[in-house]
């Protein structure tokens, strides 16, 4: 990582150009992002001096495109399939065509996450970064698959790669690690990073079985129909991996993470935890062992002295243990599509605000 | 508040100049700052590209001064009174003389806090900001007394005014409010912002009297010999005031804050809280009532659903309740002189890093 400095008072421009936005994917998060960006248009302009201009919205079969700017209000209540009926719809339009025609801004990556191939997000990010576009990413896939070279590609092209939305949404995991703890050495990180598993564990603690808790979570829309990525620990593994790589400047890949899930909890473990007034949490964890950092996802009994002890239900939290600042813990933050959308907007604001002048 | 943008890739300088530092005050925090800055010298250079250069250290009777740079290692174990024996000691040296001779950098304000007059910090900050020096402040006094005009002075001189060290030290209250919640509307803030009162309340909950708890806190060095600013709520009031003014762009003064302390807790209140499984916390609070924000310090019974429920002993915490990001809570962070020193260093790093390039 390298930080560049700007001399005070030198580089101010009085009237910022509009920021061109390409939105990739119009599923739950993509649509929520459009909604939030639309609602916050005035605030972005007034408080941060940023004018957001949607140029293109991509879905599988093509894209909306207008070099002059799309009117966001026209797409607020639309589903992905309804986009194709619009005047500005271009069937089969390719991202590279848009990147070629439009001055770089931010590509907002919201396509479905695939932590094996990274696609289609990985190709989108490579194309955008190569052209000097900044990117704000909600999709873990491409970063989990190819973190190091995406970072290098961003650096080479002087683009900024931000992904708060891929690392526990509105819970500010990366901001706190990078910004609030600047200058401190982080010795250990522990996080409850997956709402579904934490909900199931909380309910099991209250006395119901794993199967009942999972069914309940599915009925409430907390767990997916196929919950395996969550309950087998891979979602948590992806997030602690991305946090470790970004905040600690590591190059971990998924194979480096020792991953445990919650599908086969020995009942003896549950009973003992209860007896010792502990709770079982699925923790993503990074710590130093003999000068090497290790990374794992593990079912861990913690007692009331642990800062994440009270993080229950779908809530999340992360603790950073440092040398000079003690333990700093952040909890909460909406983890629904709206929370992810708000954190994409936050990343865009923080890419462009750069220096805050009082 | 206004945010200025810098075009990508335009204003980079490859080799940063050293950052001149003037340290005001060599008490517990000032000395801890020198220590931390000394220990983190290499890290600042390697990770953030920042070379910190101590030019001057002021105490009541004069100052150490070397335009070429003081050797920090010579002063690490020294008390304030020992500085006067050093070769570089200049009795009666005035801050304005140093400001005149040296290229602007950061003034680090660590003189004793006086929330009535703001002095001597207030004069120090005015002099430094007028000359275009950035400031990192651990001393609440000047900001509580004259927030608005100090901000304006900074803006006019294109200087940055940062004060994490004055708003709960290593607990990142301002960073989270300004940076991690960018784009969200903050609807309510609640904080446990004073370690001494929280310690006393925790102990009272465990069954001992106010007087016993206070004596215990004094014996442990948690409470001061004259604890009135803490136990009467003024320290909490000062902090919530500064947080509200900075994060919410308000112009509150201390007179606007309705302040309650913990010196006369009705025993009935304690009993009822216990009966209802609640805990009593001294909360600094900001909230909207009929389109106006109100600010107070109040003894508040909270139950286990409140994110600050588990913040006990000398721990602190703050919750931001927002529109798009839900409730985000941060807890912990060292609150001793070392924690304050680390947060001064953090502010300096964040003043100069400005844009993070990947």
């Amino acid at each position: 990582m390298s930080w560049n400095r700007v001399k005070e008072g030198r580089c101010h421009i009085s009237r910022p150009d509009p920021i061109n936005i390409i939105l990739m994917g119009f599923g739950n998060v993509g649509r929520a992002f459009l909604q939030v960006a639309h609602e916050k248009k005035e605030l972005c302009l007034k408080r941060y001096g940023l004018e957001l201009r949607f140029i293109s919205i991509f879905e599988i079969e093509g894209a909306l495109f207008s070099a002059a700017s799309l009117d966001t209000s026209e797409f607020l209540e639309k589903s992905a399939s309804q986009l194709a009926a619009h005047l500005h719809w271009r069937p089969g339009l390719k991202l590279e065509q848009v990147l070629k025609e439009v001055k770089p801004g931010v590509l907002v990556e919201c396509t479905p996450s695939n932590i094996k191939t990274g696609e289609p997000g990985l190709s989108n990010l490579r194309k955008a970064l190569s052209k000097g576009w900044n990117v704000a990413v909600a999709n873990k896939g491409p970063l989990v698959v190819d973190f190091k070279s995406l970072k290098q590609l961003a650096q080479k092209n002087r683009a900024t790669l931000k992904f708060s939305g891929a690392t526990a949404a509105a819970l500010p995991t990366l901001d706190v690690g990078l910004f609030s703890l600047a200058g401190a050495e982080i010795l250990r990180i522990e996080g409850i990073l997956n709402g579904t598993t934490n909900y199931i564990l909380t309910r099991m603690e209250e006395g119901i079985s794993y199967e009942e808790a999972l069914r309940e979570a599915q009925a409430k829309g907390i767990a997916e129909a196929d919950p395996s990525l969550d309950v087998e620990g891979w979602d948590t593994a992806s997030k602690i991996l991305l946090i470790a790589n970004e905040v600690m400047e590591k190059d971990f890949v998924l194979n480096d993470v020792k991953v445990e899930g919650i599908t086969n909890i020995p009942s003896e473990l549950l009973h003992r935890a209860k007896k010792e007034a502990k709770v079982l949490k699925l923790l993503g964890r990074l710590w130093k062992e003999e000068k090497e950092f290790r990374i794992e996802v593990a079912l861990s009994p913690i007692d009331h002295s642990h800062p994440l002890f009270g993080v229950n239900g779908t809530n999340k939290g992360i603790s950073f243990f440092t040398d000079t600042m003690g333990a700093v813990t952040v909890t909460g933050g909406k983890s629904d599509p709206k929370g992810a959308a708000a954190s994409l907007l936050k990343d865009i604001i923080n890419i462009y605000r750069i220096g805050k002048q009082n």
Side-chain angles (χ1 to χ4, degrees), chain A residues 261-292:
Chain A
I262 64 164
T263 52
N264 289 303
I265 306 176
S267 63
E268 190 256 324
L269 193 60
L270 266 172
H271 289 144
R272 197 174 29 165
K274 200 148 203 168
K275 217 172 121 190
E276 294 171 355
K278 292 178 178 171
V279 290
L280 279 187
K281 296 293 181 191
L282 189 69
L283 296 183
R285 213 197 305 252
L286 178 87
W287 78 104
K288 222 173 187 173
E289 199 175 281
E290 292 166 13
K291 297 194 175 181
E292 288 252 329

Side-chain angles (χ1 to χ4, degrees), chain A residues 22-34 54 56-60 62-63 79-80 83 95 107-112 120-121 124 138-139 344:
Chain A
I22 299 174
L23 173 58
M24 306 305 294
F26 204 61
N28 288 337
V29 175
R31 290 162 67 202
F33 175 70
L34 187 84
F54 282 78
S56 199
I57 301 174
F58 275 81
E59 251 302 319
I60 299 172
S79 67
L83 298 186
L95 175 58
L107 178 125
V108 179
E109 168 54 45
C110 301
T111 63
N124 294 339
N139 166 5
L344 287 166

Side-chain angles (χ1 to χ4, degrees), chain A residues 46-118:
Chain A
K46 273 173 67 177
R47 180 176 293 178
Y48 306 103
L50 303 182
E51 185 187 340
L52 306 182
R53 188 159 70 174
F54 282 78
I55 296 301
S56 199
I57 301 174
F58 275 81
E59 251 302 319
I60 299 172
E61 308 284 333
L64 293 167
F65 174 72
S66 163
S69 171
L70 298 164
D71 178 354
T72 48
S73 68
E74 292 179 19
F75 311 107
L76 293 182
E77 302 299 324
K78 297 284 192 292
S79 67
S81 59
Q82 289 174 301
L83 298 186
H86 194 274
L87 180 70
H88 286 310
W89 180 257
R90 307 270 195 92
L93 187 69
K94 298 271 176 257
L95 175 58
E96 38 276 53
Q97 295 173 273
V98 176
L99 292 171
K100 213 166 154 184
E101 259 183 71
V102 183
K103 194 171 143 273
V106 191
L107 178 125
V108 179
E109 168 54 45
C110 301
T111 63
S113 181
N114 181 327
I115 61 170
K116 284 185 185 144
T117 65

Side-chain angles (χ1 to χ4, degrees), chain A residues 44-348:
Chain A
C44 285
L45 200 58
K46 273 173 67 177
R47 180 176 293 178
Y48 306 103
L50 303 182
E51 185 187 340
L52 306 182
R53 188 159 70 174
F54 282 78
I55 296 301
S56 199
I57 301 174
F58 275 81
E59 251 302 319
I60 299 172
E61 308 284 333
L64 293 167
F65 174 72
S66 163
S69 171
L70 298 164
D71 178 354
T72 48
S73 68
E74 292 179 19
F75 311 107
L76 293 182
E77 302 299 324
K78 297 284 192 292
S79 67
S81 59
Q82 289 174 301
L83 298 186
H86 194 274
L87 180 70
H88 286 310
W89 180 257
R90 307 270 195 92
L93 187 69
K94 298 271 176 257
L95 175 58
E96 38 276 53
Q97 295 173 273
V98 176
L99 292 171
K100 213 166 154 184
E101 259 183 71
V102 183
K103 194 171 143 273
V106 191
L107 178 125
V108 179
E109 168 54 45
C110 301
T111 63
S113 181
N114 181 327
I115 61 170
K116 284 185 185 144
T117 65
E119 295 299 352
L122 185 52
S123 298
N124 294 339
L125 293 184
R126 284 182 182 149
K127 288 173 192 166
L129 291 169
S130 307
K131 293 279 182 190
W133 281 67
N134 299 312
V135 298
V137 186
N139 166 5
K140 284 179 285 296
L143 293 157
V144 168
V145 169
D146 204 19
F147 188 85
K148 196 176 175 181
S149 60
L150 286 171
K151 291 286 285 185
Q152 286 169 341
L153 192 59
Q155 190 164 24
K156 191 179 146 206
N157 291 281
R158 291 192 157 175
T160 301
L161 165 58
K162 283 205 169 258
F163 48 97
S164 293
T167 47
L171 179 75
T173 55
L174 301 178
D175 297 341
V176 169
L178 286 172
F179 194 82
S180 303
L181 301 178
E185 195 189 337
I186 295 168
L187 309 167
R188 198 165 91 243
I189 301 177
E190 293 188 356
I192 295 171
L193 300 169
N194 179 272
T196 304
T197 46
N198 203 43
Y199 178 85
I200 293 172
L201 288 172
T202 301
R203 293 293 286 134
M204 287 174 74
E205 215 178 287
E206 289 164 5
I208 71 175
S209 71
Y210 170 78
E211 288 73 19
E212 285 173 281
L214 174 59
R215 270 198 304 274
E216 189 181 281
Q218 285 171 321
K220 289 189 169 188
I222 295 166
E224 293 179 56
D226 175 3
S228 53
L229 284 178
D230 289 334
V231 297
E232 287 169 10
W234 294 103
D235 180 73
T236 301
S238 302
K239 288 173 184 161
I240 190 70
L241 169 86
L242 295 184
I243 294 166
N245 282 356
E246 178 75 349
V247 174
M248 309 294 285
E249 301 173 51
K250 299 294 168 201
D251 299 317
F252 287 119
V253 295
L254 218 40
N255 260 338
D256 299 324
V257 192
K258 204 178 131 200
V259 182
E260 185 179 13
I262 64 164
T263 52
N264 289 303
I265 306 176
S267 63
E268 190 256 324
L269 193 60
L270 266 172
H271 289 144
R272 197 174 29 165
K274 200 148 203 168
K275 217 172 121 190
E276 294 171 355
K278 292 178 178 171
V279 290
L280 279 187
K281 296 293 181 191
L282 189 69
L283 296 183
R285 213 197 305 252
L286 178 87
W287 78 104
K288 222 173 187 173
E289 199 175 281
E290 292 166 13
K291 297 194 175 181
E292 288 252 329
F293 275 96
R294 298 187 180 260
I295 184 166
E296 70 172 18
V297 177
L299 202 56
S300 315
I302 61 176
D303 67 20
H304 75 283
S305 70
H306 194 289
L308 299 175
F309 182 77
V311 177
N312 291 320
T314 56
N315 266 321
K316 297 173 193 162
I318 190 165
S319 297
F320 296 89
F321 300 86
T322 76
D323 61 344
T324 50
M325 292 196 172
V328 172
T329 297
V330 56
T331 59
K334 260 207 175 86
S335 59
D336 58 2
K338 191 173 186 180
S343 68
L344 287 166
L345 182 65
K346 168 188 76 173
D347 278 352
I348 294 173

